[in-house]
Amino acid sequence: AIFGAQASAVRACAMWGKNSANVTDTTAISVHGTNPQNLVEKILRSKIYNHAYWKEHCFGLTAESLVDKAMELDTVGGTFGGIREPSHFIQLTLKMLQIQPEKEIVLEFIKNEDYKYVRALGAFYLRLTGRPAEVFQYLEPLYNDYRKLRRRLASGEYCLVHVDELVDELLRDEYVFDLALPHLPKRHTLVASGLLTGPRRSALEEDLNELIAEEEAAEAAAKAEVAAKAEAAAAAAAAVSKARAK
């Protein structure tokens, strides 16, 4: 049993370091109490490590050069086909777990409005690694993004999904893109504990409030115009009566 424990410890340590293209960077910190790459199941990790895309395009990527590779994405998804081939999207996710880019870089991915797949990659990575409060804080605004994404299904076929639908999956589901997501408490629980403030406000609610305000302003202006015309008519009638009296 002792030797078994020692072997497990050796295997765990082997994932950290800079002696292999597949190990986690030594500057990376544990995520949810484990090596970041362990968030991807071992079988899938092995498939990614042996994939040509990983060997040819992910080797040597840094946090900065990863952006260029993310900009080339044209689909989201996990694995597909009979052999469950890992998508480029899930391979870049593993690369981010391996090099653990700074939080500011991840947030720039999420805030990127020009490249929707970069945004999706950043959102997925944050869902895997972020604290519950910051997951809600940075992903909920993406409910206002209705752009279409191509999604690679397990069958190998494609379907369309909107960014806001993907965000809803990330915040509600436990399994997305063939990865088990870390537990995420319900929003009301975080609000009750003071980690989040108030209910989520949607863009539709804000638009509705603006529309109501515009309608109320238009109604007030119409009433004021009617009152002004009535006052002018009364003044004109009074002038006519006065003229006749003379």
Side-chain angles (χ1 to χ4, degrees):
I2 296 177
F3 288 117
Q6 289 177 338
S8 297
V10 169
R11 285 194 297 270
C13 292
M15 288 188 66
W16 299 78
K18 294 184 177 179
N19 298 323
S20 167
N22 300 335
V23 297
T24 304
D25 193 283
T26 51
T27 61
I29 61 176
S30 297
V31 175
H32 305 304
T34 187
N35 185 306
Q37 291 196 80
N38 286 339
L39 297 175
V40 178
E41 296 174 359
K42 184 178 180 180
I43 294 177
L44 179 52
R45 286 203 313 269
S46 297
K47 287 184 177 181
I48 293 175
Y49 293 155
N50 292 317
H51 198 278
Y53 180 81
W54 177 267
K55 295 177 180 179
E56 296 175 11
H57 297 277
C58 296
F59 178 80
L61 282 181
T62 64
E64 292 75 18
S65 58
L66 180 71
V67 178
D68 297 329
K69 197 58 62 177
M71 289 167 57
E72 298 175 1
L73 288 172
D74 58 4
T75 58
V76 298
T79 60
F80 62 91
I83 60 172
R84 308 299 290 179
E85 180 180 348
S87 67
H88 293 176
F89 182 89
I90 205 68
Q91 293 189 57
L92 289 182
T93 299
L94 180 61
K95 191 63 183 182
M96 292 182 73
L97 293 170
Q98 181 190 50
I99 64 178
Q100 199 176 71
E102 295 181 0
K103 181 179 176 181
E104 290 73 17
I105 294 178
V106 177
L107 296 184
E108 285 302 318
F109 272 45
I110 295 173
K111 295 175 182 177
N112 191 310
E113 297 183 354
D114 298 322
Y115 295 92
K116 55 189 178 183
Y117 292 99
V118 173
R119 168 170 281 184
L121 181 64
F124 186 53
Y125 176 81
L126 184 68
R127 175 63 181 87
L128 289 171
T129 61
R131 296 184 178 90
E134 64 183 7
V135 168
F136 279 100
Q137 178 185 354
Y138 294 111
L139 264 57
E140 281 188 334
L142 304 188
Y143 272 120
N144 303 328
D145 189 342
Y146 309 116
R147 289 177 295 176
K148 297 177 181 178
L149 299 168
R150 285 206 316 164
R151 183 174 193 162
R152 194 75 181 266
L153 302 175
S155 63
E157 298 177 336
Y158 295 95
C159 73
L160 291 178
V161 61
H162 297 84
V163 174
D164 63 312
E165 293 175 314
L166 175 58
V167 169
D168 196 59
E169 281 187 53
L170 294 177
L171 294 180
R172 295 178 183 273
D173 294 353
E174 298 178 352
Y175 205 74
V176 177
F177 298 150
D178 298 311
L179 295 188
L181 302 178
H183 174 68
L184 187 67
K186 298 296 184 181
R187 194 185 197 285
H188 64 80
T189 303
L190 297 176
V191 172
S193 61
L195 296 175
L196 287 177
T197 57
R200 179 178 71 87
R201 290 178 60 88
S202 69
L204 292 178
E205 182 181 357
E206 294 174 358
D207 291 344
L208 180 59
N209 290 336
E210 289 181 4
L211 181 60
I212 292 174
E214 290 175 359
E215 289 180 348
E216 289 178 347
E219 184 178 353
K223 288 181 178 179
E225 184 179 358
V226 170
K229 288 181 178 179
E231 184 178 352
V240 170
S241 299
K242 186 176 181 180
R244 287 176 178 175
K246 291 180 179 180

